[in-house]
Amino acid sequence: MDARGIIAKLRDGGRPSSEELGWFARGLADGTVSDAQAGAFAMAVLLKGLDEAGRVALTRAMRDSGHVLQWDLNGPVVDKHSTGGIGDCVSLLLAPALAACGAYVPMISGRGLGHTGGTLDKLEAIPGFRTGLSEEQLRRQVGEVRCAIVAASAEIAPADRRLYAVRDVTSTVESVDLITASILSKKLSAGLEALVLDVKCGSGAFMDTLKKAEVLARALVETAQGAGCMTRALITDMSQPLATAAGNALEVIEVMETLTGTSVNAALWDLTAALGGEALALGGLAADAEDGEGRIIEALENGQAAEWFGRMVAAQGGPADFVERWPDRLPSAPVMVEVPCESDGFIAGIDGRGLGEAVVHLGGGRLRDGDRINPSVGLSDLAGLGEGVMRGVPLCMVHAADEAAAERAVKAVQAAYRVGTSAPEEPPLVLKRVG
């Protein structure tokens, strides 16, 4: 068995066996497969595709290329994954809410990618918060605190780490088969019993149409189920930012306001409840998704979710009094500038990608690998779809490191908003359920 034969089979429209895909994944992990061969493999998959059995086999093989966690706990091990969007800080609400309901949540998360924010970057806006836990530390924390949000260790799905880097430089990131194997190999390595997926659709998402989002959602659900994990996907709207803030510390502020009831963001609350309800039902902690949704809402309302969030923050090196003192603990930008609307009317469209890129250029994301992030910068008080506006009224507030960066962001935000003469119909938060 060799890489050339597997690549040739794919190139010619054949279907590699599970043994061949397993061999290739091990070769990615141990270096037997060269970078050139990895790139050729990725391009062949992009152009010719894999069938469902091939996706399952590749996902399993990439998962098994590293450590796969095993658990012995008195409750189900569940998780959630989002395909990324603007102002999507649901994970920070959902993990502790699930923990409060009796689930165990070893959430392996990522950093910002392109115009979308990253859960790890948001949490690292909290002073002292550590996302790089060892496997032993992760096991201990999940056992004691029920939830942890961490970066993937070097032992988790090493085949994916290698293939992902190659995909990035060979223009093969868009392959649904490779996206599916990449996401699930990391998630399933956490030893999950149930997984709920949030597949974003709209101007701020990688999948900008419902058709594309549904293709990805079905691939993810079918593959995860085929790999032995109970899974359901919600296709959710990303035609506007989910939170009214975009930027790491600013999104943590919105999370804390919602967790503590200071100022509840209805969209964050509703989506957390919907995803959490599905996860609890899949994990056997609720009779159905509706029952599970009620349990998540109760955990948010009675303060239990906030309490478990505080335990997680303290366990991962953050302030022990963060839930009580969060306004004093988060960084703030030195320059704050309003973005004036340039005409009268209603917000008729929002370029979510444009807003995300504005945050990246403020320093809230990475223009290239290795860039340092400024956790304090971003956008707050973002106007939403259908909102009535007038010339000079603020569309949002820019938080910047200096005046020049703020001025550039003002122009970018103005370009991202489209004002019309009538209010559009706001799309539902959950567009479709799959699985």
Side-chain angles (χ1 to χ4, degrees):
M1 195 177 297
D2 63 56
R4 288 176 297 179
I6 296 169
I7 294 165
K9 183 182 284 190
L10 273 168
R11 178 200 64 198
D12 297 337
R15 294 288 181 253
S17 67
S18 59
E19 290 77 16
E20 288 173 319
L21 291 170
W23 181 92
F24 202 91
R26 289 191 296 274
L28 286 167
D30 66 19
T32 302
V33 171
S34 70
D35 284 349
Q37 289 168 331
F41 174 84
M43 187 61 73
V45 172
L46 174 73
L47 296 176
K48 297 296 184 177
L50 297 172
D51 58 12
E52 184 179 342
R55 279 199 304 270
V56 171
L58 181 61
T59 299
R60 282 180 178 272
M62 288 170 61
R63 176 198 67 188
D64 295 342
S65 68
H67 291 183
V68 179
L69 299 177
Q70 303 291 327
W71 302 96
D72 182 17
L73 301 166
N74 61 354
V77 180
V78 306
D79 198 2
K80 160 260 183 189
H81 176 79
S82 169
T83 58
I86 310 304
D88 180 7
C89 40
V90 165
S91 291
L92 279 64
L93 290 161
L94 182 58
L98 287 169
C101 293
Y104 292 85
V105 190
M107 187 177 286
I108 297 175
S109 294
R111 301 194 179 279
L113 180 64
H115 67 283
T116 66
T119 297
L120 300 181
D121 298 324
K122 294 167 192 177
L123 284 167
E124 287 175 352
I126 300 172
F129 194 98
R130 294 179 294 108
T131 58
L133 302 188
S134 68
E135 185 175 318
E136 181 183 348
Q137 290 170 326
L138 174 61
R139 284 181 176 281
R140 183 168 59 250
Q141 181 171 324
V142 170
E144 295 173 355
V145 185
R146 292 193 196 158
C147 59
I149 303 179
V150 300
S153 71
E155 291 78 29
I156 294 293
D160 175 67
R161 185 177 298 102
R162 178 97 184 283
L163 187 57
Y164 190 91
V166 170
R167 286 167 56 210
D168 193 38
V169 298
T170 56
S171 298
T172 53
V173 171
E174 295 82 359
S175 165
V176 168
D177 296 318
L178 297 179
I179 291 171
T180 298
S182 178
I183 289 172
L184 294 179
S185 62
K186 292 191 289 286
K187 281 293 177 183
L188 300 184
S189 66
L192 305 180
E193 297 170 51
L195 174 65
V196 62
L197 298 159
D198 182 2
V199 179
K200 301 294 187 185
C201 172
S203 67
F206 287 106
M207 298 300 177
D208 55 358
T209 68
L210 183 57
K211 183 177 180 180
K212 291 179 183 177
E214 189 169 358
V215 168
L216 178 58
R218 292 199 180 281
L220 286 164
V221 169
E222 290 167 0
T223 303
Q225 297 274 27
C229 181
M230 294 294 296
T231 305
R232 186 162 296 132
L234 302 186
I235 300 176
T236 67
D237 176 60
M238 188 44 71
S239 58
Q240 61 181 326
L242 184 60
T244 61
N248 297 302
L250 296 170
E251 290 182 50
V252 175
I253 289 172
E254 196 145 1
V255 165
M256 297 312 300
E257 288 176 341
T258 299
L259 276 175
T260 59
T262 309
S263 177
V264 172
N265 179 306
L268 284 178
W269 180 285
D270 291 347
L271 187 52
T272 299
L275 291 165
E278 298 285 358
L280 291 178
L282 289 171
L285 290 173
D288 53 30
E290 184 178 357
D291 176 41
E293 191 167 331
R295 292 170 187 260
I296 294 292
I297 289 172
E298 183 180 2
L300 291 169
E301 287 180 338
N302 65 20
Q304 287 293 304
E307 184 178 333
W308 285 99
F309 184 81
R311 293 178 188 176
M312 180 181 73
V313 168
Q316 291 185 236
D321 61 353
F322 185 73
V323 172
E324 295 77 28
R325 299 288 304 276
W326 59 267
D328 304 328
R329 300 290 187 251
L330 292 167
S332 59
V335 177
M336 296 175 63
V337 178
E338 290 182 345
V339 179
C341 186
E342 296 181 296
S343 57
D344 300 342
F346 299 87
I347 303 299
I350 301 173
D351 176 6
R353 184 178 291 267
L355 292 180
E357 289 174 351
V359 174
V360 172
H361 284 276
L362 280 166
R366 296 173 183 82
L367 290 168
R368 59 191 63 83
D369 191 36
D371 280 356
R372 292 189 65 181
I373 280 182
N374 182 339
S376 69
V377 301
L379 312 172
S380 67
D381 305 297
L382 289 157
L385 281 175
E387 192 172 320
V389 291
M390 297 172 58
R391 185 185 299 273
V393 168
L395 292 170
C396 77
M397 180 75 72
V398 170
H399 301 247
D402 56 55
E403 296 285 353
E407 186 177 338
R408 291 192 296 269
V410 167
K411 294 176 181 176
V413 171
Q414 288 173 331
Y417 275 89
R418 180 168 57 86
V419 177
T421 56
S422 60
E425 184 176 344
E426 190 171 344
L429 192 58
V430 177
L431 302 172
K432 196 163 189 175
R433 283 175 162 80
V434 176

